[in-house]
Amino acid sequence: MSTITVKDGTQIYYKDWSSGQPIFFSHGWPLNADAWDAEMLFLGQRGYRVIAHDRRGHGRSGQTWDGNDMDTYADDLAELFETLDLKDAIMVGHSTGGGEVARYIGRHGSSRVAKAVLISAVPPIMVKSEKNPIGTPIEALNDIRTGVTKDRSQFFKDLSIPFFGYNREGAKTSEGVRENFWFQGMQSGVKGCYDCIKAFSETDFTDDLKKIDVPTLVMHGDDDQIVPFPDAGALTAKLVKNAILKVYPGFPHGMPIIYADIINRDLLEFIRS
């Protein structure tokens, strides 16, 4: 297992495959680096160095009591980028990982970054407020906290259905995909998993998005039941200077996993452009 130890002593797991221009993947909640296997295999086979980490509190990384917040997540990435001496990297973030990409650039700049891709990502801010009237009500986020606290095994099984749009008419359910979602979720530490709900839903990424100064692709499904497009991708594309917005009709939140063939094609096109 490849790990680095960051400044507070936490071990961060990562996988680093192939060679060429680096593409760095940040995963969604409550998953880990394995969520990117399809993209990493595809792009690694096409001459790119592909790297993905397990966010602290998730997967094979250390389960910390403190530091489960976006600033620390971004600082962990910065240490990993420096340790691996990544240059001209393409950063790709899904869901919570999209927030992580935005906060990394907002906090550490883009000197090591060539391009950014935000997929079904949580920015600018999820939670509903007077400033964000179409956001997710805090009650819905509290329900997630309750699910994680009470019976997170069953909660993850249930969450996999809207996550992949399997509750939509005509959807073809993959029990394998659902079981893998559950398996990755159960590898997370309960404290980090719980804290991350606040991090992904209540962090305001508006200023981070305005600081992004590299070519950026925003990809979002218009049937995302977890991070609805009108309050996320649609607004992000307006805040990131010269962002390219690609909307996927009928696609759910988990589209990088169940529609990897389409996402891979569009990623490759953007990377090569």
Side-chain angles (χ1 to χ4, degrees), residues 50-183:
V50 288
I51 306 153
H53 75 312
D54 288 356
R55 187 176 301 114
R56 64 168 59 215
H58 297 70
R60 293 142 291 199
S61 288
Q63 297 186 9
T64 57
W65 186 262
D66 298 312
N68 304 304
D69 57 81
M70 278 294 164
D71 284 353
T72 307
Y73 297 158
D75 292 351
D76 290 345
L77 281 195
E79 290 198 56
L80 186 51
F81 270 54
E82 290 166 14
T83 299
L84 299 179
D85 194 24
L86 301 184
K87 298 173 182 176
D88 201 31
I90 293 117
M91 296 189 76
V92 182
H94 172 243
S95 193
T96 301
E100 194 172 63
V101 169
R103 180 52 53 95
Y104 170 86
I105 295 175
R107 193 167 167 85
H108 297 280
S110 59
S111 61
R112 294 182 178 272
V113 183
K115 295 181 179 181
V117 183
L118 306 178
I119 306 176
S120 311
V122 296
I125 184 170
M126 271 187 73
V127 69
K128 182 178 181 178
S129 65
E130 288 185 11
K131 292 182 179 179
N132 186 36
I134 61 170
T136 302
I138 191 67
E139 292 80 9
L141 298 165
N142 287 336
D143 287 344
I144 298 174
R145 278 183 266 264
T146 299
V148 166
T149 305
K150 237 179 138 179
D151 183 356
R152 69 182 182 132
S153 180
Q154 186 61 50
F155 176 75
F156 289 150
K157 286 186 175 182
D158 295 341
L159 181 62
S160 68
I161 296 173
F163 194 96
F164 297 108
Y166 291 153
N167 54 345
R168 296 310 198 203
E169 186 176 352
K172 186 177 180 182
T173 301
S174 167
E175 290 302 324
V177 166
R178 292 189 63 203
E179 288 170 7
N180 194 30
F181 179 91
W182 171 87
F183 175 65

Side-chain angles (χ1 to χ4, degrees), residues 13 15 25-37 40 52-55 57-61 94 180-188 257:
Y13 167 88
K15 41 191 178 183
F25 296 90
S26 289
H27 63 82
W29 179 93
L31 307 175
N32 58 50
D34 294 347
W36 290 111
D37 278 355
M40 292 180 72
H53 75 312
D54 288 356
R55 187 176 301 114
H58 297 70
R60 293 142 291 199
S61 288
H94 172 243
N180 194 30
F181 179 91
W182 171 87
F183 175 65
Q184 289 185 40
M186 292 305 293
Q187 289 181 67
S188 65
I257 295 172

Side-chain angles (χ1 to χ4, degrees), residues 189-267:
V190 67
K191 180 61 162 60
C193 184
Y194 183 91
D195 289 353
C196 190
I197 298 164
K198 182 179 179 68
F200 73 64
S201 64
E202 298 182 41
T203 302
D204 190 343
F205 300 98
T206 301
D207 290 341
D208 302 301
L209 295 174
K210 291 177 180 178
K211 291 178 183 177
I212 296 178
D213 56 358
V214 295
T216 302
L217 175 63
V218 178
M219 310 167 80
H220 218 111
D222 70 2
D223 193 31
D224 190 326
Q225 300 171 66
I226 309 299
V227 183
F229 169 70
D231 192 49
L235 299 180
T236 290
K238 294 177 181 178
L239 289 166
V240 178
K241 187 177 180 181
N242 299 322
I244 299 168
L245 174 62
K246 194 165 185 63
V247 183
Y248 296 81
F251 278 27
H253 189 64
M255 65 184 193
I257 295 172
I258 64 170
Y259 291 112
D261 54 340
I262 296 170
I263 300 303
N264 281 333
R265 178 198 68 198
D266 293 346
L267 277 175

